[in-house]
Amino acid sequence: MESTKIILDENEMPKKWYNIVADLPTPLEPPLNPATNEPISPDELAPLFPQALIEQEMSSERYIDIPDEIRDIYRLWRPSPVYRAHRLEKILGTPAKIYYKHEGVSPAGSHKPNTSIAQAYYNMKEGVERITTETGAGQWGSALSLACNYFDMECKVYMVRSSFEQKPYRKSLINLWGATVVPSPSPDTQFGRKIREEFPDTSGSLGIAISEAIEDAALNENTKYSLGSVLNHVMMHQTVIGLEAQLQLEKVNEYPDVVIGCCGGGSNLAGLSFPYIKDKIDGKHNAEIIAVEPSACPTLTKGKFEYDFGDTAEMTPLLKMYTLGHSFIPPAIHAGGLRYHGESPIISNLYADGFISAESYHQIEVFDAAVTFARSEGIVPAPESAHAIKSTIEYALKCKQTGEEKTILFGLSGHGHFDMASYDKYFNKELSNE
Amino acid sequence: MESTKIILDENEMPKKWYNIVADLPTPLEPPLNPATNEPISPDELAPLFPQALIEQEMSSERYIDIPDEIRDIYRLWRPSPVYRAHRLEKILGTPAKIYYKHEGVSPAGSHKPNTSIAQAYYNMKEGVERITTETGAGQWGSALSLACNYFDMECKVYMVRSSFEQKPYRKSLINLWGATVVPSPSPDTQFGRKIREEFPDTSGSLGIAISEAIEDAALNENTKYSLGSVLNHVMMHQTVIGLEAQLQLEKVNEYPDVVIGCCGGGSNLAGLSFPYIKDKIDGKHNAEIIAVEPSACPTLTKGKFEYDFGDTAEMTPLLKMYTLGHSFIPPAIHAGGLRYHGESPIISNLYADGFISAESYHQIEVFDAAVTFARSEGIVPAPESAHAIKSTIEYALKCKQTGEEKTILFGLSGHGHFDMASYDKYFNKELSNE
């Protein structure tokens, strides 16, 4: 039997993160202070982030060492497995070979801990005792809670109220790992109180939650703020995914013709694809890289590449990125992790330069693909990850038509154990086809 | 750094199951026909089980080959990892070394697919097109659905009504894998209709659900019945757990001083411990084996060793086992998988002969242990598995007092991603201390 899982030893886990900023053909445009339109200085970020992360955010070093204390936690689930999807290939009748990197094996169930562990560590090293963040569906909030738990730090999560009420179990996870979670807008911040007075019935938004978390970090001692996607250092932390995948596919003498990942803020796609994009930049290989987004939030496929705020309340620096406009509010699709108006500046840069292409799919066809995957491979995918599955299936079916034996690698960014209510809606035909 | 995970290659996955019946010092007493008090013949089981499983149930062959088609599916998640719980050891301050075998990595999230895959396979081979079963909390129902999905068979699950209503997400899993699930008592069987007429408000019980599933299998063409624990062939299928664990601990030159598993019907404990009990019987090693049960359902610690029915409706053969009486209805503890009045006849035999000892714990101290584990190792354990964690912590703390560097191996039979409502109750202090 050909093997199904490609496993690495702990000692094969990457010892450095890959910082693609060192290799970008077009230099990144800097974040700007909206008041002055001048590039943000490291000092201006100091109230929110520890020094080490600010340095990483602005670094152009190609490789940055992963501290042993972080690797010591990564190895609880890393290296994550690469699977050959034999059963999915068979069901599709495709000559393509389908591989997937499974990040759902982390305790929080997604790729998010790759950066939450790193961020909590650097905060702890600099004496920070408390971290604030926002979360939509709860993946990021639970991942940061897990990380703060490992380093004995307090964590406060502002969770978009509609999710707080509709997704009780990610909230339970946050509690289990010892963090505090409140529905946003909350009475705990000035901004939250203001919104609650003006709009008592609001269901909240990621923009409001970001503003609350930032205000909390800025006003409270020994407290910093943490972001789960978009920023350069977050993209870099996630590259352990692609670095491992390259080594794993080498072991079976494969190099992918195409690398596919779902894309919201961009950290999942960045993590898997950046080491492959390096090979493209270096002229060594030329894998196609596909970003898959929901039609309901088509940042790359329909957005504009311009400076915009990261939040609705205009509290963040201006970032040069693909954006739907910071006041854009996407429909309440079940892939909550992909509902962001903007896009990582690095991913935006690479997309503009043609290193990445993008596709978008509607909600129901994405769930169709998720069910096909669950019934062939067994694993229940997160709705976010199912976007990559949908694109993979399309690609594999094209190969069936052409007879090409291409090699596909896609990122299974997380499992869907906390998304079963969404599957229920799908089976009950209650899903809107956004 | 000492390694955290001990991983095996796919080709190190066991090729045979271990049948401890071949080695039992006291022979098993046979199941009896309650009408005649005579041992059950293979023919009497034929309406419910395929021939191959009846043969395994009655076999005294020491090793039985695992067909390639079954190993081909096992390898989607097997070999499962053994972890060294470095962080738990540190938090406890114990000199003991704690290892755990993680069966929660299966798509259904527990050890149950080790036997559901095998049972579905043998049914498929004999032309069975449809399998019925009962489920309480839903672990077994989802595992059998997964298995029938792989072999393109229909599956009907009778789910205890109270669980059907309270645990919607395991029901969703069953649907996702293409099976049908109805609340029991259901209008679909004669027995179900009778109960619904007599007790319209009943919340159902495992006993009623078993009776419905058996009636359905007996009356419908090409339909057989499947049981997820208790029976000899089920215990045998689970021995892949312990066979792998032995190989994994050998790789780090360890042999456990104690093997700990939670114990309801017995299949989890059997799977992990039988290969170690073989070494005891053979006089090669002498690991202590601890069965951990809830105080609310103390089958081994308080039950009697006698012939009893497997179900409340007295439809099954009589089994010689530890039992609390087939009319015993345990309190509604959150470890639904351990709420069974009886016990595997093999486990009962070994317990009576002193090869296994037993402990019981109350619900709240079990959840305390689960939270300690989640906060040290990250993984959210199932409430069932948390019984083994509680016992492990007690053992490790004893080692702290005596200074003994003992080696503990426990079975993490499943994750708790579908049990977050129970954790919520724990944190809200709404758990009764059964």
Side-chain angles (χ1 to χ4, degrees), chain B residues 196-223:
Chain B
R196 285 161 68 97
E197 261 169 45
E198 284 175 33
F199 312 98
D201 295 328
T202 179
S203 57
S205 76
L206 212 47
I208 296 168
I210 294 178
S211 306
E212 286 199 88
I214 290 179
E215 179 190 321
D216 182 330
L219 294 183
N220 284 293
E221 214 149 321
N222 265 328
T223 300

Side-chain angles (χ1 to χ4, degrees), chain B residues 162-321:
Chain B
S162 56
S163 295
F164 187 89
E165 286 162 2
Q166 286 163 20
K167 308 221 171 196
Y169 296 136
R170 282 230 173 74
K171 177 168 69 88
S172 314
L173 264 185
I174 294 171
N175 286 328
L176 177 55
W177 287 319
T180 306
V181 52
V182 293
S184 165
S186 78
D188 301 2
T189 66
Q190 213 174 344
F191 186 69
R193 287 188 295 271
K194 179 167 166 277
I195 297 283
R196 285 161 68 97
E197 261 169 45
E198 284 175 33
F199 312 98
D201 295 328
T202 179
S203 57
S205 76
L206 212 47
I208 296 168
I210 294 178
S211 306
E212 286 199 88
I214 290 179
E215 179 190 321
D216 182 330
L219 294 183
N220 284 293
E221 214 149 321
N222 265 328
T223 300
K224 299 281 183 195
Y225 167 74
S226 172
L227 192 66
S229 193
V230 179
L231 299 180
N232 302 350
H233 66 276
V234 179
M235 303 296 124
M236 185 186 75
H237 296 154
Q238 293 292 356
T239 56
V240 290
I241 304 173
L243 293 168
E244 285 178 7
Q246 284 194 323
L247 191 54
Q248 284 164 304
L249 289 189
E250 253 174 47
K251 284 182 192 276
V252 290
N253 298 311
E254 293 274 15
Y255 195 95
D257 295 296
V258 58
V259 176
I260 299 174
C262 66
C263 192
S267 75
N268 162 64
L269 179 70
L272 182 64
S273 70
F274 283 4
Y276 289 103
I277 295 178
K278 179 175 194 308
D279 288 349
K280 283 169 78 120
I281 294 171
D282 293 349
K284 284 189 188 162
H285 287 279
N286 196 18
E288 194 179 343
I289 312 290
I290 303 177
V292 193
E293 51 187 28
S295 301
C297 193
T299 315
L300 290 173
T301 47
K302 300 239 175 102
K304 286 185 188 154
F305 191 28
E306 59 191 22
Y307 272 104
D308 194 9
F309 289 98
D311 68 330
T312 23
E314 307 188 353
M315 292 173 77
T316 70
L318 290 164
L319 299 175
K320 178 77 182 286
M321 60 183 178

